Amino acid sequence: MTVRDGRIATVTSPGNAGGTSAADTTTADCDGLIMLPALVDLHTHLREPGDAASETIASGTGAAAHGGYSDVLAMANCVPATDTPERVRHIIERAARTASCRVHPVGAVTSGLAGRSLAPLDAMAAAGALMFSDDGVCVEDPRLLLRALEAARRTGTFVAQHAQCPRLAERGQVNAGAAAHATGLPPWPATAEETIVARDVVIAGATGGRLHICHVSTAGTVEIVRWAKSRGWPVTAEVTPHHLLLTDLLARDGDPLHKVNPPLRTAGDVAALRAALRDGTIDAVATDHAPHTALSKDNHWCEAPFGMLGLETALPVVAKALGDGGEPDWGLLATVMSTRPAGIAGLADVAGRPLRAGEPATFTLVDPEADWRVDRTESVSASDNTPFHGMTFGHRVVATMVEGRVTADIGRRLAFPTADADNPPVSSSTG
Ligand SMILES: [Zn+2]
């Protein structure tokens, strides 16, 4: 493949390099590597503004580039929350100066994420918000959700719901059932998620506004999403890498690195989530990358915050979950981690594109022969709260390119020229 002016100029097949290299051409040996369209994350917490100790736009997008991502949607639960057009524009401007991948701000559904009054969704959409979400908390008031979905339909955007009935989740800490019994911690039942999803898909069907279900975690939610789709309602759904690989058995060790919202569920739930991703009931993988400082995570379980890192490990984790010990279906993986999320976010013109001449040179390179032991001390993120520390994976992202610019070249393995004054950071785009 050759790249010119940020686009793919020519594509050659393996063993047929073809042509001659111009003097000003940089070549890299990609033999044995897998090339995928760069990944798109519908669910990233960048923590800027408000919590630079755990993450910034610079550190979080650095982690994204190292994980193979070209685009992330930055959730609204910053301090202050992204709930006005000025704050949407502020994030776009900050990202233009400091980001290593494209950043798309998410607007809050309700002012201050407080669940009481609708934020100015139309104005935020005009300022560049592609999606609306109070993620971290549920939009509990069905009337507010209905009005948000109507605004989404008006503005060509969509609403992502953190589906969790606060009354049913109560002070839940671990999955209800064996994990709660073993630990004595307050149980978090599947019904807390499933009741909200069942309610919300009906509202989406009635309004015609696009509803996206964040981090599906139970087999029951899968059934509800399948039913909603069979009725032709405008519903999409995501699953996190950790819910595809880890189970609630881990919560029994009492290590808050395994504390996440929604909680890790049973092996049966994990099997249902994998099947739903394969059959298209769940549309996309989204990381829910949730950085927290060591100070806050190194705590008793109940005092530690919910959440785990996701961007740097997502692709190897999903490859392992979908590969069942062998090679994953790379076409499926490209669909659920790039093409489909790009389409859901309205980024299909620039992201998740096929790798052929004339298209943007936006791709990631994966080593399928890696033997990568995750070491939390090597995190590019400003935080290191990964639940995958010490685990070994058979695949690893080695480089990422966005519109012809190298945004990650891990270990300088390909010796690509990296970003500098002549090759500036990737600017933000509002699609
Ligand atoms: Zn959430």
Side-chain angles (χ1 to χ4, degrees):
M1 173 185 287
T2 55
V3 172
R4 194 170 301 124
D5 297 331
R7 291 194 172 263
I8 298 169
T10 57
V11 178
T12 50
S13 53
N16 175 25
T20 52
S21 294
D24 61 349
T25 301
T26 303
T27 58
D29 182 5
C30 302
D31 206 26
L33 301 180
I34 290 169
M35 181 179 277
L36 298 172
L39 312 182
V40 177
D41 191 21
L42 294 169
H43 194 145
T44 300
H45 297 279
L46 291 177
R47 308 288 192 226
E48 182 179 346
D51 185 12
S54 63
E55 199 78 288
T56 62
I57 290 172
S59 65
T61 59
H66 277 68
Y69 286 87
S70 61
D71 296 79
V72 300
L73 274 70
M75 282 296 185
N77 64 339
C78 301
V79 182
T82 315
D83 60 357
T84 67
E86 293 74 23
R87 288 174 185 160
V88 169
R89 281 192 286 270
H90 173 75
I91 289 171
I92 291 171
E93 286 157 14
R94 279 291 295 163
R97 291 202 297 275
T98 66
S100 298
C101 73
R102 293 180 292 225
V103 174
H104 311 280
V106 175
V109 173
T110 66
S111 293
L113 310 175
R116 285 193 287 276
S117 61
L118 211 60
L121 304 193
D122 295 72
M124 284 194 285
L130 302 180
M131 177 177 108
F132 296 101
S133 182
D134 277 2
D135 183 67
V137 290
C138 183
V139 179
E140 192 183 4
D141 182 339
R143 177 77 194 160
L144 284 175
L145 184 79
L146 182 143
R147 288 172 57 205
L149 286 166
E150 288 173 344
R153 196 180 64 166
R154 251 192 335 268
T155 56
T157 56
F158 64 114
V159 176
Q161 173 72 296
H162 178 119
Q164 177 196 324
C165 172
R167 292 284 292 142
L168 290 175
E170 270 212 285
R171 284 181 291 280
Q173 292 285 323
V174 296
N175 192 31
H181 286 302
T183 59
L185 291 166
W188 188 319
T191 48
E193 175 173 310
E194 292 160 7
T195 51
I196 293 291
V197 175
R199 180 198 81 172
D200 289 0
V201 298
V202 174
I203 298 173
T207 60
R210 283 201 293 138
L211 173 73
H212 180 73
I213 310 293
C214 294
H215 39 55
V216 171
S217 72
T218 78
T221 298
V222 168
E223 288 306 310
I224 298 164
V225 171
R226 190 173 283 133
W227 169 71
K229 288 188 167 189
S230 77
R231 306 203 60 155
W233 292 343
V235 173
T236 54
E238 72 186 29
V239 61
T240 69
H242 48 270
H243 286 110
L244 286 170
L245 194 66
L246 308 178
T247 72
D248 61 354
L249 280 173
L250 285 169
R252 300 184 197 185
D253 68 4
D255 184 344
L257 283 177
H258 300 129
K259 178 173 175 176
V260 68
N261 175 354
L264 299 176
R265 304 289 192 181
T266 67
D269 291 310
V270 169
L273 295 170
R274 291 179 183 180
L277 197 58
R278 289 195 179 97
D279 74 17
T281 302
I282 292 178
D283 299 81
V285 172
T287 67
D288 194 8
H289 177 84
H292 291 292
T293 61
L295 192 65
S296 64
K297 264 294 193 186
D298 188 12
N299 222 322
H300 293 297
W301 181 285
C302 288
E303 280 80 53
F306 291 98
M308 15 178 95
L309 298 186
L311 288 167
E312 292 170 67
T313 49
L315 189 139
V317 170
V318 176
K320 185 173 229 170
L322 293 180
D324 286 328
E327 280 296 290
D329 175 343
W330 290 106
L332 173 66
L333 201 134
T335 298
V336 300
M337 298 190 78
S338 178
T339 314
R340 189 76 183 108
I344 290 170
L347 296 168
D349 288 347
V350 294
R353 304 291 304 169
L355 299 172
R356 62 182 179 221
E359 295 285 355
T362 301
F363 56 81
T364 188
L365 292 165
V366 180
D367 180 357
E369 308 268 304
D371 184 22
W372 181 36
R373 189 177 165 88
V374 175
D375 182 345
R376 60 187 293 188
T377 67
E378 295 172 357
S379 290
V380 175
S381 165
S383 294
D384 65 359
N385 55 305
T386 173
F388 303 109
H389 175 70
M391 288 180 66
T392 301
F393 293 90
H395 303 90
R396 186 176 190 181
V397 168
V398 294
T400 305
M401 181 174 273
V402 180
E403 293 177 41
R405 276 172 292 191
V406 177
T407 56
D409 182 6
I410 292 165
R412 302 281 296 140
R413 173 165 167 176
L414 301 179
F416 280 130
T418 46
D420 54 27
D422 301 324
N423 191 24
V426 176
S427 63
S428 176
S429 144
T430 57

